[in-house]
Amino acid sequence: LSSPFIMNLLFAFWLILKVANSHDHGEECTSTETETITGVIYADNWFSFWFNGQLVAEDPVDFIPHQAVHVSFEAPVCGERVFAIQAEDFSDDITALEYDDNCIGDGGLKAMFSDGTVSNSDWECKTIFYGPIDPADCIPNYDSAYHFVPALCKFNANETLKGRDCHSEYYAHNSTGVDWFDMDFEPEDDEGWEPATEFSDDVVGFGVVPSNCSEFLCPGLLDWSMYGPQASFIWRPDLNFDNRILCRYSYVVDSDFEYTTTMDEEAGDGVDKLNTYYLVHVMFIILCFFSF
């Protein structure tokens, strides 16, 4: 092999390695600009949504029908993005029952955003209102097959069969002195935060759907993967008794090419190196083939 060929080959190898590393890691993200993110949030029955510590939207309907809500907000092109949602199943503040203390409701939260963020088990959630804590004792003839189904239990007019004596428990939004929806809040410094529990559409459903889908945004007609990933229903582990919850998700845009989350930080270096390794070797083989 001639010296010029070897020199050209070494230069090509260096150039490919440089490009590969640049693509894997990107340039440092320093923009101070913002971009518009849109999304859709559905909660059974109600939600409020914060982004980076600022209140963006609240569900205009506190009970029924169960409609989805479009949201739109500005997000930094670079830096941290914090999504925070408070979701509530409609229930009495004392008994935690609904339909005049006749039924035990269930919750559900689903969200998707144009940056690719969707509700799933990567979110962290905390219960702030739980109940009833004693259904078998406070609801006469308690039967989950009956009291979990509003179509059966909500019409009861017999006062002696209502759960008037039920009780519930409240938990502090946080114990750190920082609002739970703020960017500076750290769930690991507070109590009760755990990975969200995912549920299937069949388990949760879309509740009392709107009768007029031109007036309301009907959640069952939406493509919940329209922004890429499939959004899942999330909640705390108990759909029926975890009545009011807080949920958060955050990530950092730290380069022109990639987002960094906690899991990315743990696995990303190995993936980047592996991708670079394969790219360099494939290109090297191609260069050798066409050089002879």
Side-chain angles (χ1 to χ4, degrees):
L1 295 177
S2 65
S3 295
F5 171 77
I6 294 175
M7 293 299 296
N8 287 335
L9 196 60
L10 289 174
F11 175 75
F13 183 82
W14 172 84
L15 184 62
I16 293 170
L17 182 62
K18 181 177 178 63
V19 171
N21 280 326
S22 173
H23 177 76
D24 282 341
H25 299 291
E27 301 296 330
E28 182 181 359
C29 196
T30 58
S31 173
T32 58
E33 296 181 353
T34 63
E35 62 181 351
T36 300
I37 293 179
T38 59
V40 179
I41 303 174
Y42 167 79
D44 179 356
N45 297 99
W46 180 88
F47 75 87
S48 55
F49 167 58
W50 290 261
F51 178 78
N52 279 6
Q54 301 298 313
L55 180 64
V56 174
E58 290 187 343
D59 194 333
V61 180
D62 61 358
F63 190 23
I64 55 176
H66 299 162
Q67 90 293 354
V69 178
H70 279 300
V71 297
S72 178
F73 52 95
E74 293 300 301
V77 171
C78 301
E80 188 173 18
R81 297 179 175 183
V82 180
F83 300 75
I85 300 177
Q86 178 171 338
E88 301 183 0
D89 179 37
F90 187 85
S91 58
D92 184 83
D93 292 338
I94 297 175
T95 66
L97 299 172
E98 59 184 21
Y99 290 109
D100 195 25
D101 290 338
N102 281 318
C103 305
I104 296 175
D106 60 348
L109 171 64
K110 182 177 279 198
M112 59 179 177
F113 302 93
S114 59
D115 66 335
T117 297
V118 295
S119 52
N120 56 31
S121 58
D122 290 337
W123 290 57
E124 292 181 278
C125 298
K126 173 182 179 175
T127 299
I128 56 172
F129 180 60
Y130 181 92
I133 59 176
D134 52 352
D137 297 326
C138 67
I139 301 176
N141 303 323
Y142 173 65
D143 182 356
S144 60
Y146 172 80
H147 290 100
F148 286 6
V149 184
L152 300 178
C153 57
K154 69 179 182 179
F155 298 110
N156 170 54
N158 187 338
E159 188 66 26
T160 64
L161 297 179
K162 296 179 182 291
R164 302 294 196 202
D165 296 327
C166 290
H167 298 88
S168 54
E169 290 183 341
Y170 284 87
Y171 304 95
H173 284 54
N174 69 79
S175 58
T176 66
V178 179
D179 286 329
W180 70 274
F181 50 79
D182 277 353
M183 296 179 68
D184 294 335
F185 178 78
E186 297 291 345
E188 57 266 28
D189 295 335
D190 192 22
E191 298 179 350
W193 290 89
E194 297 178 356
T197 301
E198 292 188 20
F199 297 91
S200 69
D201 288 5
D202 291 338
V203 170
V204 180
F206 291 105
V208 182
V209 297
S211 59
N212 185 348
C213 291
S214 61
E215 179 183 0
F216 297 97
L217 185 60
C218 293
L221 300 181
L222 297 177
D223 176 7
W224 288 94
S225 62
M226 64 182 293
Y227 295 124
Q230 176 69 44
S232 298
F233 269 113
I234 62 172
W235 203 255
R236 289 284 286 141
D238 199 317
L239 286 170
N240 297 100
F241 295 95
D242 290 309
N243 287 301
R244 301 172 191 173
I245 66 171
L246 310 176
C247 293
R248 285 175 54 103
Y249 173 76
S250 66
Y251 69 90
V252 176
V253 186
D254 57 6
S255 76
D256 291 337
F257 295 107
E258 63 184 17
Y259 297 152
T260 299
T261 64
T262 301
M263 283 186 281
D264 289 337
E265 291 172 353
E266 295 174 355
D269 288 343
V271 173
D272 287 344
K273 291 176 182 177
L274 188 61
N275 288 341
T276 301
Y277 175 86
Y278 282 120
L279 178 60
V280 169
H281 281 74
V282 169
M283 293 303 295
F284 181 75
I285 292 171
I286 293 175
L287 282 172
C288 289
F289 176 80
F290 283 106
S291 296
F292 285 100

